[in-house]
Amino acid sequence: EVITNQNAQMKKDWVVSENRLPLFSKNGKQLYFGVAPKPIAKDTAMIANDHAVVDIWNYRDDYLQTVQLKELKNDLKKSYAAVMQTEKPDFFRNIDGEDLDTLRVINQGNAEFALGVTSLNNRISSQWEGSTKKTYFIIDNKTGERTEIVKNLDGSVAVSPLGKFVVIFDSEKGQWFSYNVKTKQTLPLTKGLPVSFVDEEFDMPDFPSPYGLASWTDNDESVIIRDRYDLWEFFLNGSKKPRNITNGYGRKNKITFDTYELDKDIKSLNRKSSIYLSAFNNASKANGIFKTSIQSNADPVKILMEDVWGYRSLQKAKNAEEYILVKESYTDSPNIFTTSDFSKQEKLSNTNPQQALYNWGTDELVHWITPKGNTSTGVLFKPEDFDPNKKYPMIVYFYEKLSDNLNRYVAPSPTPSRLNISYFVSNGYLVFTPDISYVDGFPGESAMEYINSGVEKLKQNSWVDGTKIGIQGQSWGGYQVAYLIAHTDMYAAAWSGAPVVNMTSAYGGIRWGSGMNRQFQYEKSQSRLGKNLWEAPDLYIKNSPLFAIDKVKTPVAIMSNDQDGAVPWYQGIEMFTALRRLGKPAWLLNYNGDDHNLIKRQNRKDIQIREQQFFDHYLKGAKAPVWMTKGIPATQKGKNWGFELTDDKP
């Protein structure tokens, strides 16, 4: 035994924890392990019926009771890091504190310090902020002394592989910084450069996210950080000016570059050696590989560029110039290839060989200008053997931006709740997925602007049946479906999965999957209102479909499940009961015990059948099934599925 519960350094009533695996540093000089307060034994003499079972919510609590209960099992097993110097095994230092959220070891544990992170005094505001400001420390492994790096940061930090520098992203400033662990100096990295290193298309009422840190170079000399298209090298000690290592080629050609992690054991790149870069063409959606040297001042060299979804997860053999990659497209399922020079690729797998027996649809990009003069892009999926002399019904599926998925393979299998694109395409439907950009405070109107104008663009084609267009969306897409049908009657049928229809009642609810309150979603995140309920009640009402639900003329099916961990299922109930009272054709599916996106395969299969029957009836004139016409009473639940087609009208 080296460390026991009786060690002099052990806090009173603390013990070595069984809930944290010991970790030796790579060089074997330090051993990290866990200590924790001695568990309190449960009083088995208490009789359950003699005391209440109650959760007590206190406004001073750091975390809501729902979050605490969600994390209860983990919190009961929580331990705090201690470190022992193996050359002095009878002494250890407790470097973790009960105020810390987490502690990270540095340089595979070799560093003489660790990184501590705390959100103390900033936790309550996460209820409406969504994120939590954190303070970061360097903690000395031998003394436990803390040195503050940055206080109350809304952003992120990363430590260089050898632990010489900490790179900081500050969301409020939209800038990157470096912190020298030895000198304790902080230097700006990206300030004053002519490009942005945060999301140029960010359209939420919050600080935009960074494009991210790509790689480190050897000896902690520099860090490579991404802008929207190109890669930049920043010298961490500020000894040299920043360099655009892709020479502006990305921005000039609308190509996004990134570096590869070809070997997980190699934490940094050699500045003198050639490196491969992943490349994504934002206009054509093609993927490829380029080659360059970090020190080079020339354009990167294109190795290949293909209309596939691939080359983003390249892997290299440990001791040979052999590479393995995965490629796919809308018409080709993902397969594994191997290559030594990329000019010749050998296919190793043959997934979905049965697909050769079937005809397949096609997809293509669509571009248009919205009524407000904004440009947008979408993807149009066409049935196999498409005939421009025919008229086709169309289903419009949307979320936010989906066009980057042009070359993704869409398996014709039951989905959790999204539209089964391949299946509907193969059954004679056009499917259209338009991109949407948003204006703060007006998410509903933004959806109308982009979706409706994209549909009008396609209706100009003689082969689109403008009277037989349906819409489908899930979650945020479900909200947009509800908003559209409350403000336009241009759609023949609508399917709304897990929608929020009343932002005033959803605002203060709980995301049961995480235990978090929902306020941040409306003020800072996806709902994009930008103000709290008391500052702008008119925005909450204006963007809530429920308050215009009496204008609905479109038949709508709603999925809202009683164990939804993201959207309160009573939102679907509010929508359905309002439509029911108004005599509007509406159906509500509650898959008992299932989640926001369906988990159980039998439920996924069921919803595919009902969705096809629903759209076939309204967009193709097919007979309606029993579940739509007569309904399924509770007495027939689990006995009669109502799939039989009838001559009755819903």
Side-chain angles (χ1 to χ4, degrees), residues 107-150:
N107 189 12
Q108 302 177 82
N110 292 342
E112 295 181 351
F113 60 89
L115 181 73
V117 186
T118 181
S119 59
L120 192 66
N121 301 322
N122 288 313
R123 293 164 182 166
I124 292 176
S125 61
S126 65
Q127 176 175 318
W128 54 90
E129 294 285 351
S131 60
T132 307
K133 292 182 178 179
K134 295 181 173 64
T135 298
Y136 295 81
F137 306 94
I138 291 294
I139 304 178
D140 190 291
N141 285 351
K142 294 180 180 178
T143 66
E145 180 183 355
R146 294 184 181 185
T147 301
E148 187 178 287
I149 299 172
V150 59

Side-chain angles (χ1 to χ4, degrees), residues 559-620:
M559 184 196 78
S560 195
N561 302 323
D562 53 23
Q563 291 300 309
D564 191 322
V567 171
W569 85 292
Y570 56 74
Q571 288 291 311
I573 295 173
E574 287 194 49
M575 182 177 180
F576 175 77
T577 53
L579 291 168
R580 181 175 185 264
R581 172 173 179 164
L582 294 165
K584 313 285 186 178
W587 297 263
L588 174 65
L589 306 178
N590 168 24
Y591 288 94
N592 299 173
D594 218 328
D595 208 337
H596 183 65
N597 293 298
L598 295 171
I599 303 298
K600 301 174 184 177
R601 184 169 175 82
Q602 63 268 35
N603 291 342
R604 294 183 179 190
K605 292 170 67 175
D606 183 274
I607 201 171
Q608 300 302 315
I609 295 170
R610 298 189 194 281
E611 199 167 74
Q612 183 201 2
Q613 290 183 328
F614 177 80
F615 281 124
D616 279 358
H617 174 69
Y618 284 111
L619 304 185
K620 287 186 172 182

